[in-house]
Amino acid sequence: TESASNREIARRAGVSHQTVSRWLSAARCPSHGVILIARAYQTDPVEGLIAAGWITASDLANGGHRNAARRAPTATLTAEVHRRPLAAQD
């Protein structure tokens, strides 16, 4: 936020300054607050969630792998399952 006041953060995020004050005085800003502030400052909300401790970089990587596997065609997954044991023999 580049040392912006709570009022400026609130204005940009579209919430009241009291809400921002509550978020920033809490032990941890709520996840929806992190997302609103990140978007208001045109930064990556995911990076904000990592910085705020809501998710880890490992969570992000694991989710990416799961989503990629869900979108992969069955033939590709089957070929990979068969390829791996053969590759381990080399």
Side-chain angles (χ1 to χ4, degrees):
T1 62
E2 303 162 351
S3 302
S5 69
N6 289 358
R7 287 185 188 276
E8 176 60 16
I9 296 168
R11 185 189 66 73
R12 289 179 72 165
V15 296
S16 72
H17 72 275
Q18 294 95 338
T19 297
V20 170
S21 294
R22 249 190 336 274
W23 289 348
L24 299 180
S25 66
R28 180 165 62 171
C29 183
S31 57
H32 67 279
V34 171
I35 293 167
L36 284 174
I37 292 170
R39 287 179 178 157
Y41 283 84
Q42 299 172 350
T43 61
D44 185 353
V46 174
E47 292 295 325
L49 292 170
I50 292 170
W54 283 105
I55 61 174
T56 66
S58 294
D59 294 332
L60 185 60
N62 291 337
H65 295 312
R66 279 192 299 276
N67 288 333
R70 287 184 187 121
R71 289 190 301 267
T74 300
T76 302
L77 292 173
T78 303
E80 182 64 14
V81 168
H82 289 289
R83 185 197 65 78
R84 286 188 184 194
L86 296 174
Q89 293 174 4
D90 294 338

